[in-house]
Amino acid sequence: MTHYTHTPVPTSFTDSTPLLLPARLERDVIVPQPGSVRLGSDTLSGDQARQAAEQAARDDLIRRLGIPITADTFFDDLATEMATQTGFLYGMVNLFLAEQTFVGLHNPPADSGHLIVGRTMSREHGWCPEVVKRKKALPLPNVHASPRFSGNHVVDAVGIEAYFGAPLLHQESGIVLGTVCVIDPDRRPLSDARRLRDVVLSGSDTAMRSIAAGVPTH
């Protein structure tokens, strides 16, 4: 396996940093009841109404499928497997709930000098929202290659330069439950992009097969 040199990034940030939250005690994620919308205004735009309806349908499907909404060993192992196969520092299995919720998470070693990320992040941050929106894999061997994806809060906060993600797509309903992804502070060559994309696509398939069969919770 090719070895990459990782540049350490700061392990602490100011309270104003609107990014990946530091590691913390696990907690349940409160999922709104179907159809409920927590917005600051009673008047919804067409786009807001569409997003609220999509989220309500997603929340309902996650409940009906019995998917764990807190840290789960099976998903943690899957995140670690994806990170190992790609050589990336971080791997995630991510449900789109009230927040992006990493029910599966692989971090670098605690003594590595790299940021240890927590289990939740705003639905506005990172590249996974784009994957959910497009319902397709997003390979970014160099996030700075496109201005559209370069200007992302995660780039500066965690020093991420490569991202590969794929949707958790429920085929029967067409609903995207979330994503699987790997991220790393080192960009990757274009020549390796197809292999890395295939790793996360395989991870997505594994997650969805397990969900269909009933995820073994731990």
Side-chain angles (χ1 to χ4, degrees), residues 6 46 54 76 88 120 167 198 209:
H6 300 289
E54 288 178 355
D76 280 346
F88 278 44
T120 61
D198 288 347
R209 285 198 305 270

Side-chain angles (χ1 to χ4, degrees), residues 82-149:
M82 290 189 299
T84 300
Q85 289 186 26
T86 57
F88 278 44
L89 283 184
Y90 304 90
M92 288 93 167
V93 179
N94 178 14
L95 292 182
F96 263 52
L97 304 173
E99 301 174 286
Q100 294 186 65
T101 303
F102 306 134
V103 293
L105 178 63
H106 175 83
N107 269 305
D111 61 355
S112 68
H114 294 282
L115 182 72
I116 303 301
V117 303
R119 294 271 179 179
T120 61
M121 185 171 72
S122 166
R123 289 209 313 246
E124 304 302 316
H125 295 161
W127 298 275
C128 287
E130 180 69 19
V131 174
V132 171
K133 179 180 178 180
R134 63 193 275 163
K135 299 185 179 183
K136 293 170 57 178
L138 179 61
L140 297 175
N142 174 11
V143 299
H144 296 293
S146 168
R148 178 181 179 186
F149 299 116

Side-chain angles (χ1 to χ4, degrees), residues 2-37:
T2 303
H3 295 281
Y4 298 95
T5 301
H6 300 289
T7 302
V9 299
T11 57
S12 63
F13 298 92
T14 65
D15 291 340
S16 62
T17 306
L19 303 156
L20 288 171
L21 301 179
R24 61 189 180 187
L25 293 176
E26 304 303 328
R27 60 174 174 78
D28 286 344
V29 176
I30 305 301
V31 181
Q33 292 299 313
S36 65
V37 181

Side-chain angles (χ1 to χ4, degrees), residues 64-204:
R64 287 191 287 110
L65 293 173
I67 305 171
I69 60 171
T70 56
D72 181 80
T73 301
F74 178 84
F75 287 139
D76 280 346
D77 290 344
L78 178 57
T80 296
E81 179 66 18
M82 290 189 299
T84 300
Q85 289 186 26
T86 57
F88 278 44
L89 283 184
Y90 304 90
M92 288 93 167
V93 179
N94 178 14
L95 292 182
F96 263 52
L97 304 173
E99 301 174 286
Q100 294 186 65
T101 303
F102 306 134
V103 293
L105 178 63
H106 175 83
N107 269 305
D111 61 355
S112 68
H114 294 282
L115 182 72
I116 303 301
V117 303
R119 294 271 179 179
T120 61
M121 185 171 72
S122 166
R123 289 209 313 246
E124 304 302 316
H125 295 161
W127 298 275
C128 287
E130 180 69 19
V131 174
V132 171
K133 179 180 178 180
R134 63 193 275 163
K135 299 185 179 183
K136 293 170 57 178
L138 179 61
L140 297 175
N142 174 11
V143 299
H144 296 293
S146 168
R148 178 181 179 186
F149 299 116
S150 180
N152 194 298
H153 294 299
V154 180
V155 172
D156 294 329
V158 193
I160 297 305
E161 298 215 3
Y163 168 93
F164 285 77
L168 295 173
L169 178 61
H170 186 251
Q171 293 290 344
E172 290 83 354
S173 65
I175 294 173
V176 178
L177 305 171
T179 68
V180 298
C181 69
V182 290
I183 57 176
D184 197 84
D186 287 340
R187 63 189 63 180
R188 296 301 195 263
L190 285 174
S191 58
D192 202 25
R194 182 182 294 274
R195 180 187 71 84
L196 297 173
R197 182 207 60 186
D198 288 347
V199 170
V200 295
L201 284 172
S202 176
S204 174

Side-chain angles (χ1 to χ4, degrees), residues 46-62:
D47 187 57
Q48 288 175 324
R50 177 186 58 78
Q51 291 180 25
E54 288 178 355
Q55 188 60 47
R58 180 180 297 118
D59 295 341
D60 181 62
L61 182 58
I62 287 172

